[in-house]
Amino acid sequence: MATTTVKTETFVGKRIRRREDPRLITGTATYVEDIQMPGMHYAMILRSPHAAARIRSINTKPAEAAPGVVCVFTGKDTKGVGVVPCGVAMPDLRVPQHTILATDRVYFVGHPVAVVVARDRYLARDAADLIEVDYEVLPAVADPEKALAKGAPAVHPQWPDNIAFTYHQDGGNIDKAFAEADVVVKQRIVSQRLVPMAMETRGVVAEWRGADRQLNLYTSTQIPHLVRTLVAGMLGLEENRMRVIAPEVGGGFGSKLNVYAEEALMGFVSTRIQKPVKWIESRRENFTCTIHGRGHVDYYEVAAKRDGTILGIKLKLIQDVGAYHQLLTPLIPQLSVLMMPGIYNTQNIRADIVGVFTNCVPTDAYRGAGRPEATHGIERMVDVLAAELKMDPAEIRFKNFVTKDKFPYATATGLMYDSGDYAAPLRKALDLVGYVKLRLEQADLRKQRKYMGIGISTYGEICAIGPSPATPAGGWESATVKIDPTGKVTILTGTCPHGQGEETTFAQIAADELGVGLDDILVIRGDTAVVQYGIGTFGSRATAVGGTAVYYALQDLKAKIKKFGAMLLESDDVTLIGGQVVDNKTGKSTTLQEIARASYRALKLPPNTEPGLIATRFWEPPNFTFPFGAHIVVTDIDGETGQIKIRRYVAVDDCGNILNPLIVDGQVHGGVAQGLGQALWEQAVYDDDGQLTTGELMDYALPRAHLMPWIESHHTCTPSPVNPLGVKGVGEAGTIGCSPAVVNSVVDALAPLGVRHIDMPLTPEKIWKVLAAKH
Amino acid sequence: MFAQKFEYTAPKTLDEALHLLANGAKPLAGGMSLIPMMKLRLAAPEHLVDLRALKDLNYIREAGGQLHIGATASHYDIESSALLRQKCPLLTETAAAIGDVQVRNLGTIGGSVAHADPAADYPAALQALEAKFVLRSEKSERTLSAADLFVDALTTALQPGEILSEVIVPIDDTRTGTSYLKMAQPASGFAIVGVAARVRQNAGKISFVRIGVTGLSNRAYRATAAEKALEGKTGSAADIQSAAALVARGVDANSDLHASADYRKHLAVVHAARALKTALSRIA
Ligand SMILES: Cc1cc2nc3c(=O)[nH]c(=O)nc-3n(C[C@H](O)[C@H](O)[C@H](O)COP(=O)(O)OP(=O)(O)OC[C@H]3O[C@@H](n4cnc5c(N)ncnc54)[C@H](O)[C@@H]3O)c2cc1C
């Protein structure tokens, strides 16, 4: 025991490089595909080439006889396996039996029909071609509005109207609002289907250890514990006999917030062949068989007074469900409804959702999950209203913002916005972009018939998902923090970071709380045999909910550390600081290592205290958090070709306190890139026969590095009162704020031609057609 | 995505390669087009002969007042060739506009020409340059013009067993101005439409003009009507506009997810005008 030299270096709030990156950028991380095991077998899945067909017969014999093939399974063999679960319960929800392999019918291109298992993946692939499936091709429908029309082919014969669910929500007095309105604007707005496109496709290794009755499932997922519970259930296996490991996960964007047929299928195969089996999704399968995002057709009506005050909003939302419900499919459009009013002060809303079956792969959560669609809707409508009233789009927003004195603010949709100062980021963004000057320049350019646009989006979003009553599976998060006898710290988080950087930010939190260095801390996630039950990473929740659980576990641990420290120092007045416990009276101190050793050696224990240094907390958040911000996009349009050039991209985001600005920058950049993808390039296009015509990266236009504008990323800071870290979440903000800013900018550029709306993606041809029609 | 089983040979000499090709093997160059097709099982060659190891196919040199480019010169080789930059800048500019860095590092001019993708970039430039193509097989050697080589979408005059061994382009002196301009399809980088322009001026009049167009129809072509319209003119904005208006006339334009036929035709006109203008401005 020595007198103190206190370490003062802190980490929270600093631009600290991600500790996970060295293994990622040196190619030494272990993804599912990298896992090798003795006796490994390989599965190849035969999938339907038709969007709708009856299966008359399947002949697997030639495939079974092919070299290297061990077995072939079809839907007949997997009848005992439970269905792919939909985690959402709601009245009138129609849930088709989603078997892991097709039985008598196929419902979308890519529907799994059979699985070939062989000693080698090439042989498995060759053998898949030898399976003879006799299909009776049926009419298909791939467009949700066409599916609702009379006489459309029924996706599921038992429900000829193709309606998967309906949902209605009323807030305030919408009829009164519309009756009192000076002006009502209406617009149909499409948020097109998108492919989430994680860099790493899905993949599963299943390893059945018969002698132990133990199934190890390695899968590229955002939610290992939920996969364990649900897949064990599908396989009829006791949950404690199953271990799910999410090794390195190469992106998810919501597409891996799910339970997929292949996860149970590989478990089934491995138990049958008593050998490990690997399935890696091809990019083509990723396009056709992993969930898609968005897929909305929205009909908006906004009622307002002549001075721009918004009185009420009506929304008819048509959600393209696809052929089945995946884990959260019906929930996603409900998130859109919750966010309908955006950050504007209107208490009157009416929403009607109709979920529609189509012969397409299911839609589900994709970065933003319902919130980009809602933001796109309200932010476009505010601009449409401004154009109708000949108001400046910034001015109409300032007029309608929920003001800063109104928090916590109860929305018409039943949310309680935690904190906000919505005018601040808009004011800052207008300043940064030089709004007044730009408008003058625009007026000049318009005289020369040149098209320059300034687009504003002031978004709000729902993060830190979420309080358990508002979620299908529990919205809390767990953390264990333990200190080894030698004083090193390990954090086990129930979240499952897969690119978000929590191995760094959680270490920053712990380092500051304990007063140790970042290198003294290890963050472990993604293994159900190692980590206590957890929910996972999605919905911009990992730091706000999972980080808070870490924070509280640290508080428990600190209390215990202080007890041991006080015992060792024979003091009753101590402080934990800089990795040491200090006697406030004498200044004597003892180190964390000494305390850890003493706590495990346990020669002596403080009163009512157990040996060891470990604390676990399950933290239930009292509310969501509600980040917000303002994005302004300046575009120049080539009047001859319709090509759009982004001149400026200014993003001012308020995500509460920032633990690591470098990571927040990365999240904003990535989010904006995907928002630009939707606004300008990406679209999952099914033709009338239900074939995905953009089923390859040569046709599906992802944002490329050389197409990115310079993103000027700035912040305002309004801490959240919901958690002690004051953080809100930033994983989806860029995606949510971006697309309406881009479309508003292009529509603004074309406003002199009388243009009010253009649907995404804003391809040059669409713009050219607008220009050609008006000239 | 796994290809079917195939044999692979990397011969040391061109003769050996030609012998294998005469016996039914298929050439592999950069693999940028062939390998994806094999993985999707749209192509299933039984035997691939890798041309990249052949030193006698990879060169860029000047001889006999012309430029000779071996078939396996990569897009990057061409883009970064000092010789070409000086004597045939149209080709370096075109190569630099292809795909992305990885594709340019691996893809070859021979593969691109032989593959004859209707949206490939080189064919526009090679049409404008009136390039000649040396075709070799075990038994024969012949030289074709661009007009004769490019037959249809994904179809050339190459016969089974025959390879493209060399592309020959003229030396453009400083009195010649050139430009290649394209609108890229955002997913693949291929040309929705690409126009190569090559012009010479004499005493204030345009004395020579060649316009190559790709992406618009099933094969790249020379827009001869537009060329004629511009010859002898001063090259004013109005001259350029009325010539460019002819580039897509009578052409059966492609239509797909990325661009309709009408839009492609419009783009061809716009890009022709811009390419001509730039080419004129580059005359020293
Ligand atoms: C992502 C991506 C983006 C691309 N973007 C563009 C673009 O923007 N513009 C563009 O023009 N192209 C683009 N390409 C195509 C690219 O330029 C290819 O490299 C080219 O089309 C084929 O060249 P290769 O050397 O790779 O040929 P390979 O793929 O090896 O061969 C193509 C075909 O030609 C045959 N072949 C090859 N060499 C010879 C020869 N010497 N004689 C006879 N037959 C031969 C092969 O047998 C095969 O049938 C892109 C490709 C990819 C993958």
Side-chain angles (χ1 to χ4, degrees):
Chain A
M1 275 163 241
T3 29
T4 331
T5 44
V6 175
K7 178 185 95 52
T8 46
E9 189 184 7
T10 58
F11 299 98
V12 166
K14 298 208 172 127
R15 295 181 80 83
I16 290 169
R17 287 203 194 162
R18 302 201 319 174
R19 287 141 47 82
E20 42 274 78
D21 282 344
R23 67 172 187 269
L24 296 174
I25 60 182
T26 56
T28 50
T30 303
Y31 297 87
V32 173
E33 166 68 323
D34 298 314
I35 294 166
Q36 294 300 339
M37 287 179 187
M40 185 83 95
H41 280 58
Y42 298 86
M44 196 62 64
I45 296 171
L46 180 73
R47 297 177 182 276
S48 170
H50 307 295
R54 196 168 286 122
I55 298 177
R56 290 206 196 92
S57 66
I58 305 178
N59 180 12
T60 58
K61 292 233 166 59
E64 278 159 11
V69 171
V70 173
C71 53
V72 180
F73 298 112
T74 68
K76 281 205 183 88
D77 305 297
T78 56
K79 277 216 166 99
V81 178
V83 294
V84 179
C86 170
V88 183
M90 57 193 284
D92 306 327
L93 182 67
R94 289 167 170 174
V95 184
Q97 280 282 306
H98 187 177
T99 54
I100 61 168
L101 290 174
T103 52
D104 53 344
R105 270 173 94 115
V106 288
Y107 296 92
F108 64 98
V109 170
H111 198 148
V113 172
V115 58
V116 185
V117 184
R119 274 186 283 101
D120 163 307
R121 53 178 39 151
Y122 287 85
L123 296 176
R125 174 66 187 83
D126 287 346
D129 282 346
L130 302 176
I131 299 174
E132 296 159 1
V133 186
D134 184 8
Y135 291 106
E136 177 192 341
V137 178
L138 301 169
V141 61
D143 176 289
E145 287 193 293
K146 286 185 187 159
L148 284 176
K150 267 217 152 39
V155 176
H156 297 281
Q158 65 271 38
W159 299 309
D161 58 9
N162 287 322
I163 292 177
F165 61 91
T166 58
Y167 175 85
H168 176 84
Q169 192 171 341
D170 253 331
N173 189 339
I174 191 75
D175 294 326
K176 184 160 166 277
F178 273 72
E180 288 172 356
D182 296 327
V183 45
V184 172
V185 286
K186 302 179 183 186
Q187 185 61 52
R188 175 182 187 269
I189 297 175
V190 177
S191 282
Q192 77 275 26
R193 254 185 191 258
L194 301 177
V195 184
M197 202 75 67
M199 180 111 66
E200 182 209 19
T201 60
R202 291 187 293 125
V204 183
V205 168
E207 181 199 24
W208 172 246
R209 293 171 169 252
D212 298 334
R213 286 183 22 77
Q214 167 80 31
L215 180 65
N216 294 333
L217 197 79
Y218 300 77
T219 180
S220 185
T221 185
Q222 302 171 226
I223 47 167
H225 283 94
L226 297 176
V227 167
R228 186 186 72 187
T229 304
L230 293 166
V231 173
M234 291 166 79
L235 294 172
L237 196 68
E238 304 91 310
E239 193 176 348
N240 61 354
R241 294 283 166 191
M242 183 155 166
R243 174 181 182 184
V244 172
I245 298 167
E248 204 73 64
V249 175
F253 310 115
S255 73
K256 295 169 181 173
L257 160 55
N258 228 307
V259 173
Y260 284 98
E262 292 86 354
E263 290 171 319
L265 183 59
M266 291 309 119
F268 168 86
V269 168
S270 185
T271 53
R272 282 300 189 88
I273 67 171
Q274 305 267 325
K275 291 264 163 36
V277 62
K278 182 189 276 189
W279 168 75
I280 300 293
E281 185 185 53
S282 70
R283 183 58 65 190
R284 178 84 191 158
E285 287 175 300
N286 187 253
F287 266 105
T288 55
C289 314
T290 290
I291 62 106
H292 288 177
R294 321 278 190 257
H296 273 213
V297 182
D298 295 330
Y299 289 85
Y300 274 96
E301 292 182 35
V302 173
K305 287 205 276 200
R306 197 162 315 279
D307 70 357
T309 307
I310 297 171
L311 299 174
I313 307 164
K314 286 188 203 169
L315 168 61
K316 277 211 176 99
L317 190 170
I318 298 170
Q319 172 71 55
D320 179 355
V321 165
Y324 289 116
H325 300 295
Q326 280 281 350
L327 194 60
L328 301 173
T329 304
L331 188 70
I332 307 305
Q334 294 177 49
L335 284 171
S336 305
V337 168
L338 284 178
M339 281 219 14
M340 247 178 91
I343 55 179
Y344 306 111
N345 184 25
T346 174
Q347 285 296 328
N348 307 302
I349 62 112
R350 173 171 295 157
D352 281 286
I353 306 178
V354 53
V356 187
F357 288 124
T358 55
N359 291 106
C360 304
V361 74
T363 54
D364 204 321
Y366 166 55
R367 202 168 190 172
R371 288 110 79 212
E373 297 90 318
T375 304
H376 196 73
I378 184 67
E379 287 306 299
R380 281 271 49 246
M381 288 313 291
V382 169
D383 264 32
V384 170
L385 179 64
E388 177 72 26
L389 295 172
K390 302 198 163 48
M391 278 179 80
D392 182 277
E395 184 195 338
I396 198 168
R397 285 175 166 83
F398 282 124
K399 180 157 203 91
N400 285 286
F401 283 150
V402 173
T403 49
K404 138 172 138 176
D405 51 318
K406 293 232 174 66
F407 291 90
Y409 174 82
T411 71
T413 55
L415 297 171
M416 185 65 79
Y417 288 173
D418 58 343
S419 62
D421 180 0
Y422 300 149
L426 179 54
R427 229 178 277 120
K428 188 164 177 176
L430 291 170
D431 272 357
L432 283 162
V433 83
Y435 190 65
V436 177
K437 246 175 110 185
L438 277 174
R439 284 287 177 209
L440 293 175
E441 184 193 343
Q442 184 182 47
D444 257 4
L445 289 171
R446 281 182 176 168
K447 282 185 206 134
Q448 307 165 44
R449 288 180 144 242
K450 287 198 174 136
Y451 304 99
M452 181 267 257
I454 308 158
I456 299 174
S457 140
T458 46
Y459 72 92
E461 58 152 332
I462 311 171
C463 281
I465 290 174
S468 293
T471 61
W476 47 267
E477 198 45 88
S478 70
T480 294
V481 183
K482 50 188 186 180
I483 299 180
D484 296 335
T486 50
K488 298 294 172 187
V489 184
T490 303
I491 297 171
L492 310 176
T493 171
T495 67
C496 193
H498 48 281
Q500 295 82 355
E502 276 87 8
E503 288 179 44
T504 307
T505 47
F506 287 3
Q508 288 176 260
I509 296 171
D512 282 9
E513 288 298 318
L514 297 172
V516 299
L518 288 178
D519 290 339
D520 294 324
I521 301 167
L522 182 68
V523 179
I524 293 179
R525 93 290 177 278
D527 183 343
T528 64
V530 176
V531 179
Q532 70 291 338
Y533 207 91
I535 301 296
T537 289
F538 55 88
S540 299
R541 70 189 303 277
T543 304
V545 190
T548 301
V550 170
Y551 175 84
Y552 280 121
L554 283 163
Q555 303 314 310
D556 288 357
L557 203 58
K558 278 164 64 179
K560 198 167 181 184
I561 290 166
K562 284 208 286 193
K563 278 194 196 171
F564 275 101
M567 180 192 78
L568 294 177
L569 294 167
E570 296 174 344
S571 162
D572 55 8
D573 181 11
V574 296
T575 308
L576 170 61
I577 183 165
Q580 319 202 2
V581 172
V582 184
D583 183 335
N584 290 336
K585 289 184 196 129
T586 64
K588 276 195 191 158
S589 67
T590 176
T591 65
L592 202 51
Q593 285 89 335
E594 286 163 343
I595 290 169
R597 194 187 322 126
S599 84
Y600 287 96
R601 184 66 185 84
L603 289 173
K604 200 170 152 214
L605 293 170
N608 304 318
T609 305
E610 293 170 0
L613 287 181
I614 180 164
T616 298
R617 286 295 284 265
F618 282 58
W619 188 64
E620 169 65 30
N623 191 3
F624 300 105
T625 61
F626 299 89
F628 55 92
H631 289 202
I632 300 185
V633 174
V634 184
T635 53
D636 291 292
I637 294 174
D638 182 327
E640 283 186 307
T641 64
Q643 196 96 297
I644 297 164
K645 204 170 159 235
I646 295 183
R647 190 203 293 191
R648 298 278 301 277
Y649 196 114
V650 173
V652 180
D653 297 290
D654 193 321
C655 57
N657 288 340
I658 291 178
L659 302 185
N660 184 331
L662 186 64
I663 287 181
V664 166
D665 279 355
Q667 292 292 316
V668 170
H669 292 173
V672 167
Q674 281 176 310
L676 289 171
Q678 171 153 32
L680 298 174
W681 304 295
E682 297 182 45
Q683 51 180 338
V685 180
Y686 282 94
D687 67 13
D688 286 341
D689 296 327
Q691 296 290 339
L692 183 63
T693 55
T694 52
E696 284 175 44
L697 287 169
M698 292 299 262
D699 286 317
Y700 186 90
L702 278 186
R704 303 287 176 94
H706 73 275
L707 298 172
M708 285 299 106
W710 182 255
I711 299 164
E712 303 168 44
S713 178
H714 300 267
H715 299 276
T716 57
C717 180
T718 310
S720 174
V722 174
N723 60 64
L725 301 172
V727 299
K728 289 198 167 185
V730 72
E732 293 154 298
T735 321
I736 292 168
C738 174
S739 73
V742 176
V743 177
N744 285 347
S745 182
V746 171
V747 170
D748 181 57
L750 302 174
L753 305 176
V755 176
R756 283 278 171 89
H757 179 72
I758 309 173
D759 274 320
M760 304 179 288
L762 302 177
T763 60
E765 177 160 10
K766 264 191 208 165
I767 307 301
W768 170 69
K769 279 192 174 140
V770 169
L771 291 163
K774 305 284 175 174
H775 277 180
Chain B
M1 309 228 247
F2 301 105
Q4 251 158 45
K5 194 173 174 176
F6 58 89
E7 294 276 311
Y8 171 89
T9 312
K12 296 240 157 48
T13 66
L14 183 56
D15 284 345
E16 193 189 335
L18 291 173
H19 179 70
L20 291 167
L21 293 168
N23 289 300
K26 191 170 175 60
L28 169 71
M32 292 291 94
S33 296
L34 182 54
I35 288 176
M37 290 204 301
M38 289 169 65
K39 286 186 167 186
L40 289 166
R41 299 209 170 189
L42 298 172
E46 283 171 11
H47 189 174
L48 288 185
V49 172
D50 195 336
L51 303 181
R52 284 171 304 182
L54 300 174
K55 290 223 172 50
D56 33 358
L57 281 185
N58 190 354
Y59 53 83
I60 298 172
R61 63 178 166 244
E62 182 178 348
Q66 291 180 311
L67 298 163
H68 300 256
I69 303 165
T72 59
S74 71
H75 309 333
Y76 175 75
D77 292 336
I78 291 174
E79 173 189 358
S80 60
S81 156
L83 178 67
L84 290 179
R85 187 164 302 265
Q86 195 199 343
K87 301 198 166 170
C88 188
L90 180 58
L91 213 51
T92 52
E93 187 179 15
T94 306
I98 294 175
D100 49 46
V101 178
Q102 290 91 329
V103 168
R104 293 201 293 279
N105 278 337
L106 285 166
T108 67
I109 190 168
S112 177
V113 169
H115 190 59
D117 191 300
D121 291 300
Y122 282 132
L126 295 172
Q127 287 282 8
L129 289 163
E130 297 173 273
K132 283 175 280 178
F133 301 88
V134 179
L135 275 46
R136 288 189 58 175
S137 68
E138 193 172 22
K139 303 254 154 60
S140 71
E141 178 170 332
R142 54 183 181 142
T143 303
L144 292 185
S145 69
D148 291 333
L149 184 82
F150 294 111
V151 175
D152 204 344
L154 307 179
T155 311
T156 65
L158 277 161
Q159 294 301 308
E162 203 170 33
I163 63 158
L164 172 68
S165 71
E166 184 176 282
V167 178
I168 305 170
V169 293
I171 291 173
D172 274 336
D173 59 26
T174 52
R175 289 176 307 125
T176 311
T178 60
S179 167
Y180 178 68
L181 261 186
K182 79 194 261 200
M183 178 178 276
Q185 194 258 70
S188 68
F190 273 101
I192 286 177
V193 161
V195 179
R198 189 165 159 246
V199 289
R200 240 170 258 154
Q201 244 171 350
N202 211 339
K205 294 261 163 67
I206 293 178
S207 58
F208 173 93
V209 52
R210 294 290 178 269
I211 302 170
V213 183
T214 190
L216 188 59
S217 63
N218 275 352
R219 53 185 286 268
Y221 62 92
R222 252 179 69 190
T224 45
E227 292 172 358
K228 278 212 190 75
L230 200 56
E231 245 167 44
K233 301 276 166 57
T234 59
S236 67
D239 291 343
I240 288 176
Q241 211 51 52
S242 41
L246 300 174
V247 290
R249 192 154 293 176
V251 175
D252 186 9
N254 287 333
S255 181
D256 60 24
L257 185 77
H258 303 289
S260 68
D262 281 349
Y263 184 51
R264 275 200 163 82
K265 285 187 160 186
H266 169 77
L267 286 179
V269 173
V270 172
H271 282 72
R274 292 180 181 179
L276 285 166
K277 192 171 158 218
T278 307
L280 277 168
S281 75
R282 285 176 177 171
I283 296 174

